[in-house]
Amino acid sequence: MLHEKRILLIVSGGIAAYKSLELVRRLRERGAAVRCVLTRGGSQFVTPLSLSALSGDKVYTDLFSLTDEAEMGHIQLSRDADLLVVAPATADILAKMTHGQADDLASTVLLATDKEVMVAPAMNVRMWEHAATQNNLATLLARGVHVIGPEEGDMACGEYGPGRLSEPDDIAAAVSEFFQSSSPLSGRHALVTSGPTHEPIDPVRYIANRSSGRQGHAIAAALASSGAKTTLVSGPTNLSDPPGVDVVRVESAHEMLAACEAALPADVAIFAAAVADWRVAQAAEEKLKKNSAGPPVMEMTENPDILATLAAPSNARPSLVIGFAAETEKVVAHARTKLERKSCDWILANDVSAAAGTFDGNDNTIHLVSADGVEDWPRMSKAEVANRLAARIAEALGTD
Ligand code: C5P
């Protein structure tokens, strides 16, 4: 998954440049945003218009273009991406990269970047095997440049051997692999609950609450983009499924508990759902009718506490269990009590008083309460809370 990843694709000259069009499609299918730089040689094989149409963005070609520089300076262009991919990479651009030559937009961007670079070489077999190219490649590899291909096969020039550009699908897979392996939560399983629960009164009525699910969904998205395999157990919400997340939809607290237990083992579990504390003890099997006996009297019974159940000591307990405390007063004090009562590792306490506008709003003010003390986070968007939490989780699991 390349969701929210920005790729700067540099297309240099060579017959294989036509495959860069396919590569743009493959990268975008995986969720990446792709911006292209086309060298003068590259533009002999593909047009800026076709690259622009497929990438859905402007194509940059000229180092000294006033319009290009005014819209996006070449330094900015080189730093705005999460990864630079040179495909196809000619012998010439590999040589320029090796020697730090910067005489056009592509080579200048490659010299100015502070991001990692992946190259997919494509050239005639003799050029590939030449000591000059092989020395350049060794230097680039030693500098940490990622290399994919070339493949062996028939070449456009009629020769046979290594020098063919890797298939666009394989290059896109290598890009995904790059992000996966450099992701801090790669190899971890995260479980997140989100949204409200619906507790049935009868087949058509239920008890619910005001939770929108935005914070929990944002956390699941942030964990997935940090590389965790993420399971989101969600009550009914109007939100779309976060990309790259396994979503299990449930309605009641009982269903949520069962889905969470089924999702174990997990390394980290975050309970952001607003689970109903009570349910109707005996939900009616048929729709309740208005009749002369007056309104029905409903006996309530307590719901299972999902967080407390999964945080209790057991072999299946995730090593990091995080709960939320939605409070309207004495936010931190209540969170401390909850931390102990539910035996979780962290509580994210937030103020849900009407004045704070947290429910259904975009922002949240969090206090992270743990055995180590209280961290007060500034007011920030729910997406920022999610990213910060994912980074804190990676830090905590990293020291396991
Ligand atoms: O006790 P309280 O509902 O305030 O605790 C909030 C925390 O406990 C949240 O993390 C919530 O998701 C979790 N919780 C739960 N199951 C319940 C009630 C709350 O997982 N039945």
Side-chain angles (χ1 to χ4, degrees):
M1 274 306 298
L2 294 174
H3 178 65
E4 284 187 354
K5 301 293 183 226
R6 291 160 308 171
I7 310 292
L8 185 68
L9 175 63
I10 297 176
V11 180
S12 64
I15 180 68
Y18 77 93
K19 287 191 188 170
S20 64
L21 298 174
E22 185 70 15
L23 177 58
V24 173
R25 297 181 68 154
R26 296 283 95 89
L27 291 169
R28 291 194 72 196
E29 270 167 19
R30 288 168 186 250
V34 184
R35 177 171 280 160
C36 299
V37 168
L38 184 60
T39 67
R40 188 195 294 267
S43 64
Q44 301 294 314
F45 299 93
V46 285
T47 67
L49 188 60
S50 42
L51 271 179
S52 171
L54 287 172
S55 65
D57 202 343
K58 181 178 156 53
V59 171
Y60 294 81
T61 51
D62 191 354
L63 182 58
F64 300 111
S65 147
L66 199 54
T67 2
D68 282 9
E69 280 297 310
E71 278 176 23
M72 165 82 65
H74 64 273
I75 302 291
Q76 192 60 27
L77 194 57
S78 70
R79 304 207 170 157
D80 230 26
D82 298 306
L83 177 70
L84 273 61
V85 177
V86 190
T90 56
D92 178 59
I93 203 153
L94 294 177
K96 282 182 178 163
M97 285 173 71
T98 308
H99 299 290
Q101 208 173 324
D103 61 355
D104 65 359
L105 181 61
S107 52
T108 307
V109 160
L110 284 160
L111 192 61
T113 192
D114 57 356
K115 297 295 161 45
E116 299 214 32
V117 178
M118 181 180 286
V119 296
M123 64 197 75
N124 165 274
V125 56
R126 308 270 166 247
M127 292 169 81
W128 173 249
E129 285 172 350
H130 197 287
T133 303
Q134 289 303 312
N135 284 344
N136 291 342
L137 196 79
T139 306
L140 293 174
L141 280 168
R143 263 183 221 157
V145 169
H146 305 266
V147 180
I148 162 134
E151 304 299 322
E152 200 168 297
D154 288 322
M155 317 211 55
C157 52
E159 293 189 72
Y160 181 91
R164 279 169 65 95
L165 181 70
S166 294
E167 288 307 317
D169 236 358
D170 295 337
I171 302 175
V175 170
S176 295
E177 179 63 30
F178 163 81
F179 284 109
Q180 187 67 29
S181 60
S182 60
S183 302
L185 286 171
S186 142
R188 302 291 191 172
H189 181 210
L191 168 65
V192 183
T193 69
S194 182
T197 60
H198 284 182
E199 306 298 333
I201 295 171
D202 66 17
V204 296
R205 301 183 179 93
Y206 56 81
I207 298 172
N209 62 62
R210 288 181 179 281
S211 168
S212 64
R214 284 194 201 166
Q215 185 62 82
H217 277 56
I219 291 169
L223 291 167
S225 60
S226 299
K229 172 177 158 22
T230 306
T231 308
L232 173 65
V233 179
S234 176
T237 74
N238 291 324
L239 304 174
S240 44
D241 291 354
V245 169
D246 296 327
V247 182
V248 184
R249 283 195 192 75
V250 296
E251 299 220 333
S252 66
H254 263 285
E255 288 171 11
M256 189 173 274
L257 174 61
C260 287
E261 285 175 331
L264 295 177
D267 298 288
V268 55
I270 302 105
F271 297 91
V275 183
D277 290 317
W278 308 284
R279 68 179 186 280
V280 177
Q282 277 296 322
E285 290 196 358
E286 304 299 337
K287 184 182 170 196
L288 295 173
K289 292 283 180 207
K290 234 194 296 187
N291 60 30
S292 54
V297 176
M298 282 178 272
E299 196 192 326
M300 306 292 282
T301 185
E302 205 156 309
N303 261 334
D305 190 312
I306 303 168
L307 165 57
T309 309
L310 271 74
S314 86
N315 289 341
R317 186 191 191 277
S319 45
L320 187 57
V321 178
I322 305 169
F324 268 78
E327 304 289 351
T328 54
E329 45 138 20
K330 296 188 188 140
V331 176
V332 170
H334 284 160
R336 281 189 204 281
T337 323
K338 206 160 286 182
L339 189 71
E340 287 193 12
R341 187 160 46 83
K342 303 208 181 198
S343 60
C344 51
D345 303 297
W346 300 352
I347 285 275
L348 300 195
N350 57 346
D351 186 350
V352 292
S353 60
T358 304
F359 270 132
D360 229 5
N362 271 325
D363 290 346
N364 216 342
T365 309
I366 294 286
H367 311 275
L368 193 161
V369 183
S370 72
D372 299 335
V374 182
E375 255 179 49
D376 296 316
W377 294 2
R379 187 165 182 79
M380 55 180 90
S381 72
K382 290 181 178 176
E384 284 167 326
V385 167
N387 288 334
R388 186 154 171 169
L389 180 61
R392 290 286 281 107
I393 290 171
E395 210 178 287
L397 292 181
T399 56
D400 263 9

